[in-house]
Amino acid sequence: MPPEVDAEAHPLVATPSILAGKRNRLPGPAGERRPTGAFPPRSLETMLAMAEAVFSTSERPLPADRLEYLRRELPDLLNRAAPRGRLMFRLGTFAISTIAPLLIGRLPPLRRLPLDVRIRALRKMEASPFVAALIAVRAVLCLVYYEHPDAAAEIGVRVGPNGRLG
Amino acid sequence: MNVVHGRDHAGDLEVSTEVVVVGSGAGGAVVAATLAEAGMDVIVLEEGGHVRPEEHARMRPSESLRHMWRDAGFTLAFGVGRSPMINVMMGRCIGGSSALTGGVCFRVPEYVLGDWRALGLTDFTPEHLEPYYAEVEENVHVEDVPLSARSRSTQLFGEGAEKMGFSLESMRRNTNGCVGWATCNFGCPERAKMSVDISYIPRAMKAGAAVYSDCLVERVTTNGRRAVGVSGRVLNGPNGAPGGRLTVRAKRVVLACGAMFTPLVLKASGIGKGSGQVGKNLTLHPAFRIMARFEERVAGWNGALQSAYSSAFEPDGIQLNSVFVPPAILAATQPGIADDHVRRAKTLEHLAIFGANLHDEAGGVVRRGLGREPFVTYRMAKKDAAAVPKALRIAGETFLAAGAKEVFLPVLGLEGFSPDEFRKIDLEKISPKRLECTSQHPLGTCRMGVDASSSVVDDRGQTWDVEELYVTDGSTVPTSLGVNPQLAIMTLATRFAQRMADRRPS
Ligand SMILES: Cc1cc2nc3c(=O)[nH]c(=O)nc-3n(C[C@H](O)[C@H](O)[C@H](O)COP(=O)(O)OP(=O)(O)OC[C@H]3O[C@@H](n4cnc5c(N)ncnc54)[C@H](O)[C@@H]3O)c2cc1C
């Protein structure tokens, strides 16, 4: 069955139908989305809690629709990694969830902390020897997040009418 | 004729053919087209899915990662000793890694061919290879990248290079009609990149080859000393999981699964134990990206993704290559949390990037891991480890000479450096474990050679151990190239294929 691709889609940011969660996707590679291999919900919650901290600013919290978009897109991406890659991410999110709060004297898990405390914890972790896990997970968050058209526009990425960047 | 989608095929798949080619990437596609055009009955089996170029063209980068890249781009080689962990990128789709390239095409440098001749591969002179290069370059439309296609990011590096006393040369790429979207690795909106899914695979099919996607080959079947087919699984289970049995009987088997997977298929088939070389001698061209922030708006995504290079530092084992990445991926390199992060992300337009590749010694080994994944280790040679700080220093200084205000090194947890800070930093002291390192060029794990004790295939690509079993992908490349390998792989594959075409399997 050939994959369905939106006629409106263009290469750099998500289209309205993707944002609405309507876009059909290609089936994944072998082993993808088998219940035992799927990216665990708890790790996803940690990633989303981290996303709220990374992408919030003092002017606004992370808009709910962007968080929802991440909730849909992240597992779709991560479930296509091979089991070892998925395990590394699980370990990475576990490290963030436990170490970041401990570094500021709070009890894990990270996702239970209020936003401002989470930000403080993650900043501390970024300056600690455990930074590698944080960088890896943040990189994946960014790579999906900045494909949201509003997030891209906010950092000055100007997509022209033909889909090209200005 | 269309690609047959294994996913849509119910149950087992059993076929007979004259030649079965496993893997549809740079090495496999060339052999399939050449043999089909020579009148042979050819079947191509590809583990990955079939995404048409016009569909890939409309994917976001993160979608391309999901549908075209192996493991969504997360494959790792584990650094042993003082080596960094290396993110090794590969394609898993019709077209293989060829569908993901920046299009860069280099002929094998003469000093590398000299190394091959020293190993006894005496045929490998530029003159001998000329007709094969010419054929491939015509088929995939290799052309010079014009100066006008250089992005501002590349221009700035070039300006710095002139001040530093070296210069950039124009690359050649397999493109036709590039308008500089700079998304080559994630699908070309203009279908201007002449990767093998656009060039060789359609030719193979036109000449009668049958191409199957979603077919995972696990073993080569042999009859004593001779290959008689392959077996594996059709990926037609739920969500593309292994389903029906795959059995192909063939008079000739060509493996072109790439340098990470061909050794695994050979090992699973018990082939190549004699030499002990299968899976060894992996070279990766470890790659590093150096970024710099300028006062002016750079918007490096306007222009060819890759357009210029410098081999001025080849004596140190360093090749400098222009490169860029889409904004979301660029943003992924930005440090900080909350305001710190968003503030930095807002300056992406001011970032320039350049890459450095190492002409490395063979330090890697591919072993069978649990399940289907290879377990890859890489020990960086001392000479290569010494080249890393040199490469970072050269690229950083070059950006500063062009007027950069801040330089960013590929080192985990390091912030940007002001010009003064950069000049003071002792790069030799940076632990290799903290380096952010990637590879797009795994090579050498079934190397070609002149005797069965030190190589896996002979100079026609045939394995020493089993007749009518050939390897024609990047794994046969005998030494590190120091330059992007796709043209070399396609050229060697053409040479192997023409020799195969001279003699039909009996
Ligand atoms: C992001 C990226 C950018 C690159 N840019 C450049 C560039 O600009 N210039 C350049 O020269 N090179 C570039 N390269 C490298 C180049 O693409 C590769 O060196 C080349 O394609 C390797 O050819 P190959 O035939 O060895 O393997 P591949 O092209 O990787 O093909 C192997 C194929 O075999 C399939 N396969 C594996 N195992 C099995 C199995 N068991 N059964 C069935 N099928 C199987 C794989 O899915 C894959 O499709 C780039 C690579 C990447 C990933």
Side-chain angles (χ1 to χ4, degrees), chain B residues 408-420:
Chain B
F408 299 87
L409 297 175
V411 180
L412 290 173
L414 277 194
E415 296 273 327
F417 292 101
S418 69
D420 283 347

Side-chain angles (χ1 to χ4, degrees), chain B residues 459-492:
Chain B
D459 73 346
R460 294 171 305 147
Q462 187 166 223
T463 58
W464 293 109
D465 296 31
V466 176
E467 280 168 35
E468 293 300 351
L469 173 60
Y470 289 81
V471 178
T472 65
D473 56 27
S475 67
T476 62
V477 174
T479 65
S480 176
L481 298 172
V483 295
N484 309 46
Q486 65 166 345
L487 180 59
I489 293 169
M490 290 190 279
T491 300
L492 288 179

Side-chain angles (χ1 to χ4, degrees), chain A:
Chain A
M1 199 193 325
E4 287 181 35
V5 177
D6 294 348
E8 59 179 338
H10 63 68
L12 291 161
V13 293
T15 59
S17 65
I18 296 172
L19 295 176
K22 282 196 205 130
R23 172 111 168 233
N24 286 332
R25 301 201 173 282
L26 292 167
E32 184 220 353
R33 294 203 204 114
R34 272 185 292 174
T36 48
F39 198 68
R42 182 135 323 156
S43 303
L44 179 62
E45 290 308 323
T46 303
M47 287 185 85
L48 294 173
M50 180 171 162
E52 274 188 289
V54 173
F55 303 123
S56 292
T57 67
S58 37
E59 276 120 53
R60 52 130 192 85
L62 180 62
D65 65 318
R66 295 190 211 172
L67 195 63
E68 221 18 67
Y69 163 78
L70 283 173
R71 186 185 295 283
R72 261 199 325 270
E73 293 281 317
L74 284 170
D76 192 64
L77 173 67
L78 291 166
N79 282 338
R80 292 173 203 256
R84 198 182 301 128
R86 288 205 295 265
L87 178 68
M88 302 277 284
F89 267 94
R90 284 176 66 171
L91 293 176
T93 52
F94 178 73
I96 292 167
S97 179
T98 49
I99 296 172
L102 292 175
L103 288 174
I104 55 161
R106 302 292 286 258
L107 281 181
L110 181 81
R111 64 178 187 282
R112 298 242 172 87
L113 302 180
L115 182 60
D116 57 331
V117 183
R118 244 181 285 159
I119 292 174
R120 208 152 44 84
L122 290 171
R123 282 195 177 135
K124 192 84 182 175
M125 187 161 180
E126 193 172 26
S128 78
F130 306 104
V131 60
L134 186 137
I135 289 176
V137 176
R138 182 178 52 204
V140 173
L141 287 175
C142 287
L143 130 76
V144 176
Y145 176 75
Y146 287 110
E147 286 181 351
H148 189 291
D150 298 341
E154 200 172 70
I155 58 167
V157 175
R158 300 171 219 157
V159 183
N162 60 355
R164 285 201 70 157
L165 294 180

Side-chain angles (χ1 to χ4, degrees), chain A residues 1 11 23 26 28-30 53-54 56-58 69 73 76 80 82 84 123 126 138 146-147 156 164-166, chain B residues 7-8 60-63 66-67 71 92 179-180 239-240 297 301-302 331 336-341 349 373-374:
Chain A
M1 199 193 325
R23 172 111 168 233
L26 292 167
V54 173
S56 292
T57 67
S58 37
Y69 163 78
E73 293 281 317
D76 192 64
R80 292 173 203 256
R84 198 182 301 128
R123 282 195 177 135
E126 193 172 26
R138 182 178 52 204
Y146 287 110
E147 286 181 351
R164 285 201 70 157
L165 294 180
Chain B
R7 275 173 213 277
D8 303 334
R60 289 171 286 152
S62 79
E63 284 176 290
R66 293 171 231 195
H67 301 301
D71 302 342
R92 182 186 179 277
V179 296
N239 290 320
R297 181 171 185 266
W301 44 71
N302 283 320
I337 306 291
D339 289 306
D340 312 340
H341 171 77
E349 307 182 305
E373 284 182 82

